[in-house]
Amino acid sequence: QVQLVESGGALVQPGGSLKLSCVASGRTFGAYAMAWFRQAPMKEREFVATISRGGVTTDYAESVKGRFIISRDNTKNTMYLQMNSLKPEDTAVYYCAAKSGISSYNQNRFDYWGQGTQVTVSS
């Protein structure tokens, strides 16, 4: 079992930056591939970024590529999402997720989810 807790969501102006964190319980954080997903009002949840167990391999949705950076610190059981050049369309609840094995962009393959943190981009 893995429990995930996100934090760092806030109201930020367009063009601003924000860093989300996801802290995992348990002693086997390094055994899980991790990812960020988001869900905007009236829309389905969508993939944002994923990172491999060791943190070497990452992948991003086209809409955030070049603006967001996913990373992890296995010594702290924590994953991060650095979000730069934020746009109003980035407004959503952001969720972190964990799965055994290799990383994925498919939310149906993830076993554990956090409760979400709200990011609002508005002037």
Side-chain angles (χ1 to χ4, degrees), residues 34-97:
M34 302 292 295
W36 289 98
F37 294 85
R38 67 185 181 185
Q39 187 168 20
M42 307 298 289
K43 293 187 177 181
E44 294 188 352
R45 189 162 57 188
E46 65 176 6
F47 167 74
V48 175
T50 189
I51 188 166
S52 60
R53 289 169 290 181
V56 174
T57 303
T58 59
D59 196 12
Y60 299 89
E62 285 298 322
S63 59
V64 306
K65 200 170 288 186
R67 299 188 298 122
F68 290 10
I69 300 172
I70 188 172
S71 62
R72 66 189 295 166
D73 185 342
N74 287 351
T75 66
K76 296 181 179 180
N77 282 14
T78 304
M79 175 180 66
Y80 306 97
L81 185 68
Q82 176 67 46
M83 304 186 293
N84 302 317
S85 302
L86 283 160
K87 305 174 181 180
E89 51 263 44
D90 294 318
T91 296
V93 177
Y94 284 71
Y95 299 91
C96 67

